[in-house]
Amino acid sequence: MRKISMFVVLYVVWCLLVFPYDRTTGQWDTQSLLVGLVAALVVVVLFGNALPDRSCFLLAPRRWFWALVYIPFFAYYCLKANLEVAYLVLHPDMPIRPGIVKVRTSLRTRVAITALANSITLTPGTLTVDADEDGTLYVHWIDVKFAEDDEATREIVSRFEGHLRRIFE
Amino acid sequence: MNEYIGVAIVIVGLAFDVFGCVGLVRLPDIYTRLQAATKCVTLGTCMILIGIAILTGLNATGVKALVCMAFVLITSPTAAHAIARGAYKFGVKLEEPTVVDRYAETQTDEGRS
Amino acid sequence: MEAFLYTALGVLVATSYMCLYRIGSGPTAPDRTVAIDILGTSLVGFCALLCLLTGRDFYMNVAMAWALLSFIGTIALAKHLEGMGFDE
């Protein structure tokens, strides 16, 4: 199951990279398609055991739906983050109060924690510094509002957790 | 029509790139610099790539631009995370206006190599 | 259109000079690593714009390969920093 999902993902990535469909003539490039098939097969046979165990979530359509819902939500926070940083950088005094706070997450799988850390890095004023196995994240915050764990968790983590749990767990 | 939208998105992306690099020069401390530069330059590059995908339309180049955007969006925060951790372990202290540092507690028992 | 593309490339060159300033004057090694990472990411945008300007497809492949390779280089530098202290 794991190898099949990996094969499908690799083949889709190959097709996106090569784009074997000519729009002017409307013909498919069978040569590229076959080479992609062989290449994906070779990679799966050689490196099939190197991936994490739960990569079968890549084939569930429900998760793809929630991922699509997540994109505009994430884009909104990303834009907001950039406008905030632009304000900070162009302000003559640079009103910053940086610090590292500790937050906890209830997500368990490693893929989900990685996605959460990356989302935190791209959203307003926060940057993940380190992550533990048991769901503790150390977050550098450019404008510390709450130094305590619980309040910081509510402010930083909770807006993504529900979405990511639906996507990855 | 598509052309105007694409050009507008590219211009916004360029503006974010410039803000990020100004932050890289102006901010006082490596962690704050990392924040400003990573966020702004990632989103700026992504918007440039989206604009190019809109300008060229749905052909090989446009799809490649979108795939490249996905790569940048995944790799850039991961690299920032690695640099932040590396800088902390390297021994760069947080600068003067810092108010709290909860990460320092974990460093004492672990011991630096 | 061409004038706009040349202006855009000029802006990206200016941001690259800001990164180069930080690489030259950064007080510690991590500062320089950050600047190298940012330089790599903004050069991806540069290559993509070149693809539009010259009309040649392969610049997009260059951009993609550059994105992945600069990521690997940055990770390697960061891991190297983690293992060495200030005193070395």
Side-chain angles (χ1 to χ4, degrees):
Chain A
M1 192 59 211
R2 176 168 111 199
K3 292 193 175 179
I4 294 173
S5 59
M6 186 180 166
F7 176 78
V8 171
V9 170
L10 283 175
Y11 196 56
V12 167
V13 170
W14 167 276
C15 285
L16 286 178
L17 287 180
V18 176
F19 208 69
Y21 178 70
D22 196 346
R23 287 182 77 194
T24 51
T25 58
Q27 278 182 340
W28 289 86
D29 187 356
T30 39
Q31 210 171 347
S32 316
L33 287 174
L34 281 177
V35 172
L37 217 57
V38 174
L41 210 61
V42 168
V43 171
V44 167
V45 169
L46 284 182
F47 300 105
N49 297 321
L51 275 192
D53 303 334
R54 297 185 68 258
S55 50
C56 55
F57 71 83
L58 287 168
L59 287 186
R62 195 166 45 88
R63 299 179 191 277
W64 284 101
F65 170 73
W66 283 112
L68 282 182
V69 172
Y70 185 62
I71 288 174
F73 176 77
F74 177 70
Y76 165 71
Y77 276 110
C78 203
L79 268 178
K80 198 176 142 203
N82 278 276
L83 293 176
E84 258 176 40
V85 169
Y87 169 75
L88 275 182
V89 164
L90 298 182
H91 197 282
D93 304 331
M94 289 191 291
I96 55 175
R97 287 179 77 223
I100 294 182
V101 295
K102 184 163 125 185
V103 299
R104 296 190 174 283
T105 169
S106 58
L107 297 172
R108 278 297 163 263
T109 59
R110 305 174 79 165
V111 186
I113 292 179
T114 309
L116 178 68
N118 279 0
S119 301
I120 286 175
T121 299
L122 285 179
T123 47
T126 50
L127 171 93
T128 315
V129 176
D130 203 352
D132 279 348
E133 287 285 331
D134 59 345
T136 309
L137 296 173
Y138 296 92
V139 176
H140 182 267
W141 201 351
I142 206 169
D143 186 17
V144 176
K145 297 194 193 89
F146 312 104
E148 290 308 311
D149 293 357
D150 299 336
E151 289 157 327
T153 304
R154 203 175 54 232
E155 183 76 13
I156 296 174
V157 172
S158 52
R159 58 189 171 210
F160 299 117
E161 236 175 17
H163 279 83
L164 288 172
R165 182 171 300 120
R166 280 190 215 109
I167 297 174
F168 289 111
E169 285 191 351
Chain B
M1 187 60 203
N2 265 355
E3 194 163 321
Y4 290 113
I5 296 175
V7 168
I9 290 181
V10 172
I11 287 174
V12 175
L14 286 171
F16 278 138
D17 261 8
V18 172
F19 291 150
C21 286
V22 170
L24 190 65
V25 172
R26 273 198 72 195
L27 286 169
D29 164 356
I30 176 168
Y31 303 98
T32 49
R33 264 180 222 148
L34 197 51
Q35 288 218 14
T38 306
K39 284 199 218 356
C40 281
V41 174
T42 306
L43 192 78
T45 307
C46 285
M47 288 183 93
I48 290 175
L49 289 169
I50 292 175
I52 285 170
I54 291 176
L55 284 176
T56 55
L58 193 69
N59 54 18
T61 314
V63 171
K64 266 181 208 162
L66 290 181
V67 174
C68 190
M69 187 197 88
F71 285 160
V72 170
L73 210 52
I74 293 171
T75 57
S76 178
T78 316
H81 168 112
I83 296 175
R85 205 178 117 115
Y88 204 99
K89 296 258 166 84
F90 182 75
V92 181
K93 291 283 165 277
L94 285 88
E95 285 294 321
E96 187 46 50
T98 298
V99 288
V100 60
D101 184 3
R102 301 297 301 272
Y103 190 48
E105 301 158 11
T106 62
Q107 297 300 304
T108 48
D109 51 336
E110 214 173 273
R112 278 188 27 219
S113 55
Chain C
M1 192 64 194
E2 199 159 303
F4 165 71
L5 283 176
Y6 276 116
T7 318
L9 291 182
V11 171
L12 279 179
V13 169
T15 62
S16 305
Y17 271 112
M18 291 186 201
C19 292
L20 282 180
Y21 166 74
R22 184 49 72 192
I23 291 176
S25 78
T28 59
D31 289 291
R32 299 194 169 103
T33 314
V34 174
I36 290 169
D37 180 38
I38 299 307
L39 184 62
T41 312
S42 60
L43 281 180
V44 171
F46 190 90
C47 285
L49 284 173
L50 269 185
C51 165
L52 212 60
L53 182 63
T54 57
R56 283 168 201 259
D57 252 3
F58 65 83
Y59 276 114
M60 200 53 93
N61 300 353
V62 174
M64 213 171 333
W66 194 298
L68 295 176
L69 283 178
S70 106
F71 167 65
I72 293 172
T74 309
I75 292 287
L77 278 173
K79 280 288 164 196
H80 176 62
L81 288 177
E82 214 171 288
M84 82 188 190
F86 243 156
D87 42 12
E88 284 180 71

